[in-house]
Amino acid sequence: MTYPGSRAPRLRVVAIADADSFVKWSAALLDRVPDISQHMLLVRTPLVVSDAQKRSALAGTRFAEDARSVTRIAHAEVASWLARDRADVVVLAGRAPFVRLMGREIDRLAERPIVVSGLPGMSIPALRGALEYRRHSDLVVVHSRREVAAYSRLGRRIGVTVPIALATLPYVPDADAAAEGAPRSPLRGTEAELLNGPGTDLVFAAQALVPAAHEERRRMAEILRLAAVADPSRRVVVKLRSRPGEVETHEERDPYTDLLEDAPENLVLSYAPMAEALVTAQGLVTVSSTAAIEALGHGVPVIVLDEFGVRPELLNKVFEGSELTGSAEDVIARRFRHPDALWAAANYFHRPDESIWWDEVRDLVALRRRGLLPARTVPRPRGGALHTAWHRKSVLGAEDRTITGAIAGFVGAPIASALLARKRRRAASDGREWRDDASDFTLAPSPLSEPVQRHGLVIR
């Protein structure tokens, strides 16, 4: 009970994650919330972060300051751990099937917390699978006015009524916001200062899936090499999210460590946190990474490369109208730019007072405590126990050592492969590129060893 003049107890919040991008997102999201008791569970899946990835993902947050606030855990232990911890709020941070699997563990609890899930970066266009698999959350967090509108429209169209809440993208600094509630602006400094960031590096934010075609990835590597050759006095830093042998949220084909052969000395690889790489950045180059928004928030200008077009498969249609797109020649000449102000306000640089997701969470906690908020439970799959086992196996891979999981994997893998092949054929016949919308079951590769240097490239 809270008495007059006393302080309400802090809410207990637990994040549950596995892959690097979701660990970074959930840690940064909770770091924005003051006066909470927090913990993070890293569930062992084929995508779970290595120790090095964990340090990078948690850098600069309260989680990094307290090693006891992060626990590695097996899937079979999650429900019992949560039952002992009795969290008020659980943030499910992972790919869509992971969120649903963890939702089933929460359904086993006698005292149910508020369940929050969300998307860790830019999420335009709105994808059916991304919303469908999170529909049993009490709240889904997105990061722009445009995303709130897009996912709300999608929910109405497909009959998914989960509440959508706006949160400031947690990698974007707060310091630029005006006290009177003006829009968050990525534009700062004098006209001369706007031309460049604080340093001299051209930082390239690499992505596992974009571009996907082998020749396009080779072309990207060649553009970076040409940018390095154009000015040997300044570095081109290829910012990678995983070392060779580590895994990411998405499996990477044609890694830049293989493509950047015969690189000049000033073309280097970096596994440092993005915030650290931006300290020495003149500007950032990407095809479609959320790192573009992070850079702009730190006052670093950007080029969104349009060499391969602007289309949904490249995840870059969100940048239409931004004035950030540029050519290979712009990259080589380092002609960085800042966004159009109206685009920025609709896309990730809204007013701070519009970020109300935590207010909504507290309201939901109050309703749950009063018995006025029914649970959003995950229904039993139509395929019964075998379907449940297949879903678990598809997320956990070799970490699922159950007999039912082994049977489901043996039976289901050929079926899943056939379904995915059918999707790809349909997309090809329609003249479009097939894209995973995060709803497909995919078994991730097992982690390998960690070589730290290849092809003579400098790695810092």
Side-chain angles (χ1 to χ4, degrees):
M1 176 180 294
T2 302
Y3 296 93
S6 67
R7 186 176 182 179
R10 292 190 300 171
L11 292 183
R12 175 67 166 167
V13 185
V14 175
I16 304 179
D18 64 341
D20 62 322
S21 59
F22 289 98
V23 173
K24 177 179 177 179
W25 171 74
S26 57
L29 185 74
L30 295 185
D31 205 56
R32 291 291 185 91
V33 181
D35 201 29
I36 60 172
S37 170
Q38 63 186 31
H39 200 91
M40 179 175 292
L41 297 181
L42 300 179
V43 179
R44 289 195 286 272
T45 76
L47 299 177
V48 70
V49 288
S50 67
D51 287 341
Q53 286 175 308
K54 182 186 76 170
R55 287 191 296 270
S56 180
L58 300 181
T61 70
R62 296 190 298 262
F63 288 102
E65 299 169 3
D66 182 6
R68 295 172 300 177
S69 66
V70 182
T71 300
R72 292 187 181 272
I73 192 171
H75 164 258
E77 302 168 333
V78 169
S80 59
W81 193 99
L82 291 174
R84 293 192 305 270
D85 190 76
R86 300 177 65 181
D88 299 291
V89 181
V90 171
V91 176
L92 298 182
R95 294 187 69 183
F98 177 90
V99 170
R100 179 171 287 183
L101 182 65
M102 293 303 111
R104 288 198 170 101
E105 296 306 300
I106 290 172
D107 289 347
R108 297 170 57 190
L109 302 178
E111 296 184 42
R112 186 181 180 88
I114 293 301
V115 179
V116 178
S117 62
L119 302 166
M122 298 183 301
S123 303
I124 293 292
L127 299 176
R128 177 175 184 139
L131 188 60
E132 183 76 48
Y133 273 59
R134 293 174 174 85
R135 68 186 301 166
H136 305 104
S137 306
D138 295 300
L139 196 70
V140 173
V141 172
V142 296
H143 299 293
S144 74
R145 296 175 181 171
R146 183 175 177 184
E147 289 178 357
V148 170
Y151 277 95
S152 297
R153 285 195 303 270
L154 175 64
R156 290 192 295 270
R157 180 165 60 84
I158 66 176
V160 174
T161 57
V162 58
I164 308 294
L166 179 60
T168 298
L169 194 68
Y171 324 125
V172 178
D174 276 329
D176 214 37
E180 59 272 17
R184 301 171 54 82
S185 174
L187 309 175
R188 61 178 76 181
T190 65
E191 182 176 353
E193 290 170 339
L194 287 175
L195 297 176
N196 296 296
T200 59
D201 292 343
L202 183 161
V203 177
F204 171 65
Q207 296 165 269
L209 297 183
V210 178
H214 174 73
E215 289 306 316
E216 290 180 345
R217 293 183 77 81
R218 286 186 63 87
R219 172 58 178 160
M220 187 69 250
E222 176 63 9
I223 292 170
L224 297 173
R225 190 189 69 80
L226 291 172
V229 170
D231 187 348
S233 68
R234 292 184 290 181
R235 298 195 311 172
V236 172
V237 178
V238 181
K239 171 65 185 73
L240 303 173
R241 284 174 38 193
S242 61
R243 293 167 175 79
E246 293 177 329
V247 291
E248 301 178 19
T249 306
H250 299 287
E251 182 180 1
E252 182 175 30
R253 297 183 177 90
D254 296 318
Y256 288 103
T257 49
D258 292 339
L259 297 173
L260 290 169
E261 299 178 356
D262 303 318
E265 290 185 0
N266 63 324
L267 197 163
V268 303
L269 305 181
S270 173
Y271 301 107
M274 179 57 75
E276 182 178 321
L278 293 174
V279 171
T280 55
Q282 176 192 7
L284 181 131
V285 174
T286 185
V287 176
S288 62
S289 173
T290 301
I293 307 303
E294 186 172 355
L296 293 172
H298 283 84
V300 175
V302 166
I303 297 173
V304 175
L305 182 67
D306 60 7
E307 172 88 1
F308 314 113
V310 177
R311 60 185 195 272
E313 294 79 14
L314 290 174
L315 310 181
N316 59 1
K317 286 187 71 67
V318 67
F319 291 108
E320 287 182 324
S322 68
E323 299 184 2
L324 294 171
T325 56
S327 65
E329 290 72 23
D330 291 323
V331 172
I332 295 166
R334 298 181 178 229
R335 291 191 286 263
F336 302 107
R337 61 278 319 261
H338 283 274
D340 172 79
L342 291 178
W343 179 91
N347 294 276
Y348 313 106
F349 291 96
H350 47 267
R351 295 193 314 271
D353 61 1
E354 294 181 86
S355 179
I356 60 172
W357 79 278
W358 185 247
D359 293 332
E360 296 190 31
V361 169
R362 287 189 298 190
D363 290 344
L364 291 170
V365 169
L367 288 173
R368 177 64 49 78
R369 287 174 173 174
R370 293 161 57 192
L372 300 177
L373 186 68
R376 290 173 168 264
T377 56
V378 181
R380 297 178 66 86
R382 285 173 293 182
L386 186 62
H387 189 173
T388 299
W390 162 247
H391 178 212
R392 184 180 65 247
K393 183 69 174 178
S394 70
V395 176
L396 299 178
E399 295 295 333
D400 179 12
R401 298 180 176 88
T402 64
I403 295 175
T404 55
I407 295 171
F410 178 79
V411 173
I415 297 173
S417 297
L419 290 174
L420 293 179
R422 182 180 179 186
K423 285 188 176 184
R424 292 188 178 97
R425 287 195 300 270
R426 282 183 175 177
S429 66
D430 293 341
R432 57 187 173 85
E433 190 172 337
W434 179 79
R435 177 185 171 196
D436 175 9
D437 69 351
S439 66
D440 298 293
F441 290 142
T442 53
L443 289 171
S446 297
L448 305 173
S449 58
E450 294 187 14
V452 296
Q453 186 165 350
R454 301 178 70 177
H455 303 303
L457 286 167
V458 178
I459 300 177
R460 68 179 183 90

